[in-house]
Each structure stands twice: as C-alpha cells, then as structure tokens.
C-alpha cells in the first residue's frame, strides 16, 4: 500500500465535514417561525406557547423584584436611610389651630433641614470644618463623630434658614443634602401657652391641645402618609377667644408685679356651654421655643396644680345645705363666742360678728362657724356625696392631657367636714372648682369644661343636674349681695350686675399652715340675674401694699384683678352694660322675703 493510502486509512472519519442538506435547513427555520407565530396567534388550540411565554416573563420579573428586596433588607443602602428619614419628616404635618373667631393660634410652615450620608463623605475633617463655619452653633466634636459612622443617614442640623441653606449649598460637599420639613409656629407667642402646649422638632405634640390632637389619631394618619401638609387636615377650632385671652394675661402680668406674687392664674368660662373662653397660668413659656416649659414653676396652675380654695368653697357648702332641705334661705346660725372646738382643735372666725346670722349673712361675712354648722347638719357622708357629685373628689378630664387628682383626706371624719366646709383640708384643681361654681349659677347643671367650640345644645346633652333651680337662684342672689355689700365689691363694675366670692387660704409649708403665705382666689359671675360667664383669678403668695393697708387677702388682689378683667372683657363678650338694675332679678327670693331682698 502506498504512503498516501496508509495516511488516508489512519485519519478519523470525523475530519470529513458533514454538509446539511438544504431541505433540512428549511425545515428547522420553518419550525422556529411557526412557533413564534403560534405564540401570538389568538386561536385556542395554539395558546400553550403563548401562556408559557407570559409565565416565563412574569416569573423573571418577580424574581428580579424579590432579589432586590432581599438585597435591600440585608444591605440597606444610603438611599434607603434617606428615604426613611425624609418620609418621616415630610409626613409629620399638623392641622392649624384656630380660636373661636378663626384667628390662627398654631400652624405649620415649610422649612429645610441638613442631612449627611457619612459613607459618601471622603474627608470627614474638611466637611466638619466647613459645616461648622457656616452653622456656628453646631458642636464640632459631635458632628465629627456623626460623620465618622458608617450610617447611610444622619441629621446635621434641623430647621435652618434660607440663608443658611444657600451657604451650605455653596460648600458643595458630596454626601450633604437637604430635607423639606414641617415646622410648628405660634404667631401669638406666650399668650395661650398652657392651652396650646407645644410640638417638638419632629412635630409631635408634647403637651396641651397639641398632644390632644395626636391622641385623636393624627400620628396614625401621618404614619400612613395621609397628612403631608397642614392643608390636608381640618383645622381644630378652640373655644378660646384670643382677644379675651390676651387681656386676661395682661391683667395677671400687671397683678404679679403690683402684688409681688410668685405666680398667678385665671380663667373665664361660659356657664351655659362649659366653653373655656380664656385660661392663663403665669409664669408661662413660648410654645415656639419651649426651652423652659418643663420647669416646675411653669405648670398649668388651673388644672395641674391643686390648692385649698379657701372661702370660695363656702358657696358649695351653702348650696349643699339649701338643696338637701337642711336649711332654707331664712335659716339662721349663731356665731356667738367666735370659735368652735373639735377635740383639741379650735376653729375661729376670721372676722366674727358674735351674733346670729342668716344664710345670706353667713356668705356675706364669710362665717366659718355658720358654714361648719350647715355642713354638719348634712352629715359627713352627705357632705362627701355632694362634693363627689360636684366633681370635687375625682380627677377632672378635659381636652388638656395634663390634670391632677384632688388631695382628699384619707380618713374623713367630722373635723374634716368642718374644715372643708370653709375651704381647708381639701385641695382641688381651680378648673374643677370653677366648673362647680358654674353649676351653682346656671340653673343647676354640671357641665364639664371644654376647650373646643360647641353650642349650648351640645353641652346640655352630657350635662348632669346637681342642684334644684331654686337653689341656683338662691346662690346667684347671695353672690350678688356679696358683690354689692361684701368682699366682692371690688369687682362690682357698674352696669354688669356682678356677684362673687373671695377666698384666702394659708399655704401648707412642710405640713403646717404658714401664717404669712397666702393663696388667694376670687370667683365672680356676670350678670348675676342670668349669668353668662364665671371668672376666676388666683395669686400665689401676694404681698400687701399701701392701698390695702398691708393686707394680702383676696379682695385686695384677686378681687381687684377680676374687676379689671370684667370691665375690659364684657364689651368684647357682647355683654351690654345695664345702668338700671333688672326689675325682678330674683323673684323667688323676693317671694320668700330673703334677708336683703327688701
């Protein structure tokens, strides 16, 4: 065999190329085009390829999404942290707060905050130096520590000014940006601080009506992203009249200075609706910058402080005796001797007359002995039951979250009834005492105070009758007599038919009554024949002055302030002066021939 023949015999057969016939190629391409045509053909018998392609496409899409979610969950990037922070900031919107006349008390404005992404900042020291130069109130060490973390998002400074934003922007630091936020502002400053409360830098309500709004579901709305800006929310309209609120605060500020008191408070309530028209507690704070809001002397003394209300409580004692039938308007009580003894305890009259007094005279002369005898005629259990019915033994709740429970004797005996009868031995929040006086003069209905605007019909739905209408007329009558002839005459502004009652209580210091430290109160109603409003002023440790002859009792401070408040507020509240007394203001009292009615 030749060499060429041997080489051909040894070569493998696969070296020879296999040439596909033209017919086979045509069949392969025809199959592929037929399959694609079947995918998009609408006939039922050709649907299997189309369904398979759709399933394959959606499976790929879902797999990609799932993979991305897993990656984000396991390795959250900078943008995730940024989105979370900005989402929380932008969604924290709050509704506007308005007074009863539509005056804006609180609103949101748009502002900007600076953030940083530490992982994207290459030179931490340079960034710190540049930022603190533009924002000098930043702590350089704290900022450097923040930028040294591996976090995807940190705050640099919240709520900056437009000028600061422009200066930071010009720095051009990679990894530093801006987040739009909502900032709470209070256009009237301190004027209604204890009613409004305040919101923190995250726009969360911390106290007052602001906290109440959150409790009504605002934070849930924010969390769900439904409240992005204030215009998305219905404004909250309060019962407060900002004009009256301002003048009440103004008079109390003047009073603190004149009477050298350490604190003061006051309120005005509509006796027929329970609406709080004004409420002030001093010292107060600026809700827009509440740096001192949590100091102990800035509490809301109207519903967080609890105090012995002094002789103003005698109104409750007399109403209890009259309503129970144990006394009538012509009953009389001996005050001979000027003192009463309970075991080792002796209770004296403050300004005793040493004679027998009728019920109106007991009130007019603020007789401790007469009040004690009325309370004892009702009895210890009856006394407790009446005060509980009048909302004086339990915490009173309103829209303001801050409130205090009364300090009630643990073991209530005859001596407790005796002292509580004239306003010692039971400490209550002034606001609940105000509500009780409102019930005494509005016909006998106890209405829980509210800081939201409402009608008389709405108020009466939940009102509770606590005394008879006849008792209510008697209380209006004796308060008016005290306004004409007694300690309330300093508030007897001509034309407004004012009635009222003073109260002076010695403060309890280290468990003992301090003779030289008083807590003074004054409660007034106007007009007495058909009251519309009840007024309250209190001073903590007022001092005597030349005009008062050195006295620091309530008539000389709280009484005078209340008179000035009535004089300024009555025209604003629509109370026209009447310079002729009403023809028959107390018909039942005249019919019964009550003391002083002639």
């Amino acid at each position: 065999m030749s060499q060429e023949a041997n080489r051909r015999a040894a070569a493998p057969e696969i070296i020879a190329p296999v040439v596909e016939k033209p017919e086979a190629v045509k069949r392969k391409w025809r199959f592929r085009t037929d399959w694609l045509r079947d995918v998009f053909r609408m006939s039922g018998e050709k649907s299997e390829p189309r369904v398979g392609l759709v399933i394959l496409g959606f499976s790929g899409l879902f797999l990609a999404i799932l993979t991305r979610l897993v990656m984000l969950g396991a390795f959250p990037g900078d943008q995730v942290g940024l989105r979370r922070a900005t989402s929380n900031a932008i969604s924290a919107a709050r509704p506007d707060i308005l007074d009863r006349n539509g005056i804006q008390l609180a609103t949101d404005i748009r502002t900007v905050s600076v953030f940083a992404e530490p992982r994207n900042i290459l030179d931490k020291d340079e960034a710190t130096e540049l930022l603190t130069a533009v924002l000098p109130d930043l702590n350089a060490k704290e900022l450097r520590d923040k930028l040294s973390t591996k976090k995807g998002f940190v705050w640099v400074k919240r709520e900056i000014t437009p000028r600061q934003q422009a200066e930071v922007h010009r720095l051009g630091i990679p990894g530093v940006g801006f987040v739009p936020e909502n900032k709470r502002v209070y256009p009237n400053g301190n004027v209604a601080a204890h009613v409004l409360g305040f919101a923190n830098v995250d726009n969360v309500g911390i106290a007052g009506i602001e906290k109440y709004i959150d409790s009504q579901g605002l934070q849930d709305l924010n969390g769900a992203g439904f409240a992005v800006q204030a215009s998305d929310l219905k404004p909250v309209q309060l019962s407060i009249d900002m004009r009256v609120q301002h003048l009440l605060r103004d008079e109390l500020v003047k009073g603190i200075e004149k009477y050298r008191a350490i604190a003061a408070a006051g309120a005005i309530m509509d006796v027929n609706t329970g609406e709080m028209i004004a409420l002030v507690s001093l010292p107060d704070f600026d809700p827009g910058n509440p740096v001192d809001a949590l100091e102990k002397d800035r509490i809301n003394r109207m519903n967080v402080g609890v105090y012995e209300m002094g002789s103003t409580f005698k109104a409750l004692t007399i109403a209890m005796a009259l309503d129970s039938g144990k006394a009538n308007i012509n009953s009389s009580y001996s005050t001979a001797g000027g003192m009463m003894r309970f075991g080792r305890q002796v209770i004296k009259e403050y300004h005793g007359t040493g004679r027998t007094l009728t019920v109106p005279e007991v009130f007019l002369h603020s007789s401790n002995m007469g009040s004690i005898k009325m309370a004892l005629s009702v009895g210890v259990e009856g006394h407790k039951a009446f005060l509980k019915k009048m909302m004086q033994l339990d915490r009173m709740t309103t829209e303001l979250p801050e409130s205090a429970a009364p300090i009630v004797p643990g073991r209530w005996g005859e001596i407790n009834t005796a002292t509580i009868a004239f306003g010692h031995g039971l400490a209550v929040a002034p606001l609940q005492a105000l509500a009780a006086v409102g019930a005494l003069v509005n016909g006998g209905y106890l209405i829980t105070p509210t800081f939201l605007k409402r009608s008389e019909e709405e108020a009466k739905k939940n009102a509770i009758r606590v005394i008879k209408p006849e008792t209510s007329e008697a209380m209006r009558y004796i308060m008016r007599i005290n306004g004409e002839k007694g300690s309330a005459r300093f508030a007897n502004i001509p034309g407004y038919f004012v009635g009222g009652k003073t109260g002076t209580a010695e403060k309890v210091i280290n468990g003992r009554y301090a003779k030289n430290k008083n807590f003074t109160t004054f409660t007034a109603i106007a007009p007495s024949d058909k009251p519309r409003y009840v007024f309250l002023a209190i001073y903590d440790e007022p001092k005597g002055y030349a005009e008062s002859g050195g006295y620091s009792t309530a008539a000389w401070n709280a009484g005078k302030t209340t008179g000035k408040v009535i004089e300024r507020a009555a025209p604003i509240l629509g109370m026209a002066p009447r310079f002729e007394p009403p023809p028959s203001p107390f018909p039942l009292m005249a019919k019964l021939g009550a003391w002083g009615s002639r």
Side-chain angles (χ1 to χ4, degrees), residues 31 273 319 416:
F31 171 76
T273 65
N416 302 103

Side-chain angles (χ1 to χ4, degrees), residues 203-375:
N203 243 14
V204 175
I206 301 300
I209 289 294
E210 293 283 28
K211 188 173 183 179
Y212 165 77
I213 291 172
D214 283 4
S215 73
Q216 300 304 297
L218 176 63
Q219 289 305 310
D220 294 335
L221 284 175
N222 284 333
F226 289 114
V228 175
Q229 50 191 336
S231 59
D232 296 333
L233 301 162
K234 181 181 178 181
V236 176
Q237 188 162 35
L238 303 187
S239 59
I240 297 295
D241 187 317
M242 203 58 186
R243 302 166 300 174
V244 181
Q245 177 78 16
H246 180 274
L247 71 86
L248 175 60
R249 184 179 185 276
D250 182 54
E251 290 297 341
L252 289 170
V253 168
K254 293 175 182 175
I256 283 183
E257 182 179 356
K258 181 174 181 177
Y259 311 127
R260 294 173 292 153
I262 63 172
I268 302 172
M269 185 184 78
D270 185 316
V271 300
N272 298 307
T273 65
E275 292 173 298
M276 296 305 302
I277 305 301
L279 183 147
V280 175
S281 179
L282 300 175
D284 52 18
F285 57 90
D286 180 0
N289 185 29
V291 291
D292 51 2
L294 299 181
E295 293 181 12
K296 63 181 181 180
D297 66 332
R298 307 303 167 105
I299 65 167
N300 184 347
R301 285 171 169 77
M302 289 301 301
N303 64 326
V304 175
V306 291
Y307 311 97
E308 294 183 353
M309 297 297 290
S311 293
T312 55
F313 240 57
K314 288 172 182 170
L316 292 175
T317 303
I318 293 174
M320 173 183 67
L322 293 174
D323 207 62
S324 67
K326 299 296 183 181
N328 60 59
I329 198 65
N330 293 313
S331 296
S332 57
Y333 300 88
S334 173
T335 64
M339 57 176 285
M340 296 180 70
R341 187 178 296 276
F342 292 84
R344 291 181 297 175
Q345 305 233 14
V346 176
I347 298 174
K348 298 180 180 180
E349 294 279 64
Y350 183 65
H351 287 303
T353 61
R355 63 180 177 85
T356 298
L357 302 176
T358 62
V359 168
E361 288 178 299
V362 168
F363 195 78
L364 182 68
H365 294 288
S366 199
S367 170
N368 291 344
M369 292 178 64
S371 301
I372 291 170
K373 290 180 178 181
M374 288 188 202

Side-chain angles (χ1 to χ4, degrees), residues 239-563:
S239 59
I240 297 295
D241 187 317
M242 203 58 186
R243 302 166 300 174
V244 181
Q245 177 78 16
H246 180 274
L247 71 86
L248 175 60
R249 184 179 185 276
D250 182 54
E251 290 297 341
L252 289 170
V253 168
K254 293 175 182 175
I256 283 183
E257 182 179 356
K258 181 174 181 177
Y259 311 127
R260 294 173 292 153
I262 63 172
I268 302 172
M269 185 184 78
D270 185 316
V271 300
N272 298 307
T273 65
E275 292 173 298
M276 296 305 302
I277 305 301
L279 183 147
V280 175
S281 179
L282 300 175
D284 52 18
F285 57 90
D286 180 0
N289 185 29
V291 291
D292 51 2
L294 299 181
E295 293 181 12
K296 63 181 181 180
D297 66 332
R298 307 303 167 105
I299 65 167
N300 184 347
R301 285 171 169 77
M302 289 301 301
N303 64 326
V304 175
V306 291
Y307 311 97
E308 294 183 353
M309 297 297 290
S311 293
T312 55
F313 240 57
K314 288 172 182 170
L316 292 175
T317 303
I318 293 174
M320 173 183 67
L322 293 174
D323 207 62
S324 67
K326 299 296 183 181
N328 60 59
I329 198 65
N330 293 313
S331 296
S332 57
Y333 300 88
S334 173
T335 64
M339 57 176 285
M340 296 180 70
R341 187 178 296 276
F342 292 84
R344 291 181 297 175
Q345 305 233 14
V346 176
I347 298 174
K348 298 180 180 180
E349 294 279 64
Y350 183 65
H351 287 303
T353 61
R355 63 180 177 85
T356 298
L357 302 176
T358 62
V359 168
E361 288 178 299
V362 168
F363 195 78
L364 182 68
H365 294 288
S366 199
S367 170
N368 291 344
M369 292 178 64
S371 301
I372 291 170
K373 290 180 178 181
M374 288 188 202
L376 293 177
S377 70
V378 175
V380 171
E381 294 305 317
H383 192 200
K384 289 170 63 175
F386 181 79
L387 291 178
K388 187 171 184 65
K389 180 173 66 172
M390 298 300 292
M391 206 187 302
Q392 302 304 293
L393 303 185
D394 301 296
R395 184 192 303 269
M396 188 183 72
T397 58
T398 66
E399 292 83 11
L400 299 189
E402 306 83 21
S403 64
I407 300 176
V408 182
R411 302 176 67 178
W412 191 319
E414 195 174 71
I415 182 62
N416 302 103
T417 282
T419 59
I420 292 170
F422 60 88
H424 285 70
L426 173 65
V428 302
L431 192 61
Q432 65 189 131
L434 187 73
V437 173
L440 297 185
V441 301
N442 70 3
Y445 292 97
L446 184 64
I447 303 172
T448 302
T450 181
F451 290 86
L452 302 179
K453 190 175 182 180
R454 71 180 174 197
S455 66
E456 187 172 340
E457 291 71 26
E458 291 170 328
K460 288 293 175 67
K461 286 179 182 177
N462 297 316
I464 304 169
R465 177 169 285 286
V466 288
I467 60 172
K468 305 180 186 75
E470 299 83 2
T471 306
S472 182
E473 181 181 323
M475 296 311 301
R476 297 195 300 270
Y477 171 70
I478 64 176
M479 290 182 80
R480 173 55 187 163
I481 286 180
N482 198 43
E484 287 183 297
K485 305 176 181 179
S487 60
R489 63 187 180 277
F490 287 125
N492 188 23
I493 305 303
Y496 295 110
F497 213 53
V498 178
K501 184 71 184 81
T502 55
T504 302
E506 295 171 349
K507 289 181 67 175
V508 178
I509 307 293
N510 298 323
R512 292 180 175 274
Y513 287 106
K515 297 288 185 183
N516 60 342
K517 295 182 184 296
N518 290 336
F519 183 83
T520 63
T521 65
F522 187 91
T523 307
I525 59 171
S528 296
D529 58 323
K530 193 174 181 181
R532 290 180 56 188
Y533 300 99
V534 58
F535 303 79
L536 176 65
I538 62 179
Y539 283 106
D540 193 348
E541 296 187 26
K543 312 299 186 296
Y545 53 102
E547 187 184 343
S548 73
Y551 285 107
S552 61
T553 48
W556 293 99
N557 41 70
K560 280 185 167 289
T561 294
T562 303

